[in-house]
Amino acid sequence: LEHVEHQEGIEHVEVVDVEKLTYDDFFLNYMVKNVPVVIRGVTENWKCRQEWVDANGQPNLPFLREKFGNGQAFVHRKDTQTGQDQVEWCRFDAFLDHWEIDEKDPWYWKDWHFVAEFSEYGAYQCPVYFQDDWLNHYYDVTRRHSTARSERMETSDYRFVYMGKKGTKTNLHTDVAKSYSWSANVCGQKKWLLLPPPYAGFLRDRYGQGTASTFDEDPTLFPNIESAWNKALQVYQEAGDIIFVPSGWYHSVENTKDTISINHNWFNAVNLHWIASHVNLEETQAERAIEDCRELTSPEEFQQLVQQNVYANIGINKPMLAHLVELAVHVQSSCSMGREYSATETEELTAWHRFIHAALQKANGVPGCFAPSVM
């Protein structure tokens, strides 16, 4: 794995027509190499492209209000007095009310678990490039088999809808737990700035503690911010485009037109080492943060506290990751039951399991968590 990732020396984000991009091409040239790509023409037949957008290419507000006005998610806005970012839980119809009456203070509708809330609507089909998704499969299985259902359980996944007016933005960040993400513009336009992982250190402040939130930070506090800017890649995503954002790439996103987008976070065997390494790092930091509690608890209780903190910080911890990987392997094993495989297919399945094992080994210590029950 360490020999296939290649992010240095990339000068631009490629834009590829869906008709010219096979799954194998995507897998080898973008997913395995961990480099971004914009795919054009994937969303033409999506229901949301036909019903959520009016004849002028703008959000179809009457339709959205009638069909989904009772939906709920977080809205991000600026405090009118302090100018600080505020995050509030909000109904979708209240967000649309504000959209229609206030031009000076745009709100940004984020992280709406639309598929979970409106599962029967069928807004879109996940493109074939992104269907090997262990993360959302885990949540789907957990939700189906849970006996203690709750509102949080019903909306637990990493499939989101975003909606924001021109000028709304998200500052520099990497995606949750270093996962992949893909984002499709239902309408509008986004400007992306992406920084390859080898240059992430340029975003650190002079003390090595904080990370820049934009490329416009004070250079006296962020001495390498100009170097980061020089390595950043810029690309505009048009209506109907999908962008693939690889693991560990810092990126900022600005809506340069009124925009609705669909976004998934996901991972699989290819980037599992990114997630496992991040979980390991968070575990180490959590242990340090509550070290004073170690003498007051049993080893089992201390580890339970550690894992609770890790989950609270990044939405995943080591036991959950172990269970998630077991489910992924179980799916592959289930597909193989009841049929005979050719020598070539058997070799491919063996290689697949070795690929997972290599990913875990690269994560520096995580294999011990998985090996007895998975490999």
Side-chain angles (χ1 to χ4, degrees), residues 196-208:
Y199 310 116
F202 288 156
L203 297 176
R204 306 297 287 177
D205 66 19
R206 62 186 301 176
Y207 307 106

Side-chain angles (χ1 to χ4, degrees), residues 107-119:
W107 292 359
Y108 199 178
W109 181 259
K110 288 188 173 185
D111 299 332
W112 185 13
H113 293 270
F114 180 88
V115 172
E117 278 204 79
F118 300 97
S119 58

Side-chain angles (χ1 to χ4, degrees), residues 83-107:
Q84 298 296 313
D85 290 332
Q86 301 288 328
V87 180
E88 298 177 358
W89 193 247
C90 181
R91 275 179 57 109
F92 189 49
D93 50 10
F95 167 77
L96 293 178
D97 288 342
H98 183 84
W99 179 288
E100 294 182 299
I101 65 174
D102 198 324
E103 295 288 338
K104 297 182 179 180
D105 177 30
W107 292 359

